[in-house]
Amino acid sequence: MSAPGGSVRVHVGGPDSRHTVLLLPDAGESAGVYDVVCERLHNSDLRTVVVDDIDGLGPADVFAILDDLALPWVHLVGSGAGAELAWAVAAGRFGRFASLVVAERGHPAVADVDGTVRDASAPAAEVPTTIVIGSAARRAEADGSMRYVTGEFRVVELDGVENIPAHAPADFASAIALRTGSW
């Protein structure tokens, strides 16, 4: 499909469902990193849309993808740089996203594990949010993100996991599936 930044390839799978999950991989990773996650989400009656490569994509591209697929309301997921893009897309946009689940990235206004603040002026995400981290080193970043989320907030810590979608797909899929429920 086409987007303002150029042509974008997406993988759509799973059952026809009223719940769709948009997944954004880390920079340099293909959509395949989410294969096991998607399989588990499909078993939970969730439809998935995975962007093949996020390199060069911005928020306008994500909205173009959603508009092209006629998806007015989705659950948003990202890992690594895909999580950074997910924060940028969800921040300050109430009503377009049902939830946000990110791996290994806190809100851009919070200092990361290296002390870098990516965007001090980033608005709050107005959706229920889960941050999944692979080590205690990211705990302060994750906890500090709570003040930039206006919905319900959770942190899931998995010890010793470097690439959460690839090495802890069941845990990541569970965090996503829990966010899609209305409880």
Side-chain angles (χ1 to χ4, degrees):
M1 63 184 41
S2 63
S7 181
V8 179
R9 183 180 164 137
V10 298
H11 304 266
V12 179
D16 284 330
S17 172
R18 64 186 187 111
H19 293 284
T20 301
V21 180
L22 174 65
L23 298 109
L24 305 169
D26 197 356
E29 285 190 330
S30 72
V33 73
Y34 287 123
D35 285 350
V36 176
V37 172
C38 287
E39 181 182 330
R40 289 177 172 272
L41 294 176
H42 299 162
N43 289 336
S44 295
D45 198 33
L46 299 168
R47 187 162 192 75
T48 59
V49 176
V50 185
V51 175
D52 193 44
D53 181 2
I54 66 153
D55 292 335
L57 294 185
D61 300 301
V62 174
F63 287 110
I65 291 166
L66 296 175
D67 291 343
D68 246 16
L69 294 172
L71 295 170
W73 191 69
V74 298
H75 301 275
L76 184 59
V77 175
S79 59
E84 292 177 21
L85 179 57
W87 278 113
V89 170
R93 291 186 177 82
F94 179 75
R96 188 74 194 250
F97 302 100
S99 67
L100 173 65
V101 178
V102 293
E104 298 297 351
R105 293 294 191 278
H107 188 276
V110 175
D112 66 14
V113 71
D114 297 322
T116 303
V117 175
R118 293 182 311 279
D119 183 359
S121 64
E126 299 180 27
V127 294
T129 300
T130 299
I131 299 176
V132 183
I133 55 175
S135 76
R138 287 204 178 266
R139 189 64 194 219
E141 174 187 1
D143 288 344
S145 298
M146 182 169 60
R147 68 180 178 269
Y148 296 99
V149 173
T150 60
E152 196 270 333
F153 180 79
R154 259 181 240 151
V155 175
V156 176
E157 186 176 325
L158 308 171
D159 286 329
V161 179
E162 273 188 43
N163 185 324
I164 290 169
H167 301 129
D171 294 308
F172 199 45
S174 293
I176 297 164
L178 284 172
R179 275 289 169 216
T180 65
S182 59
W183 49 83

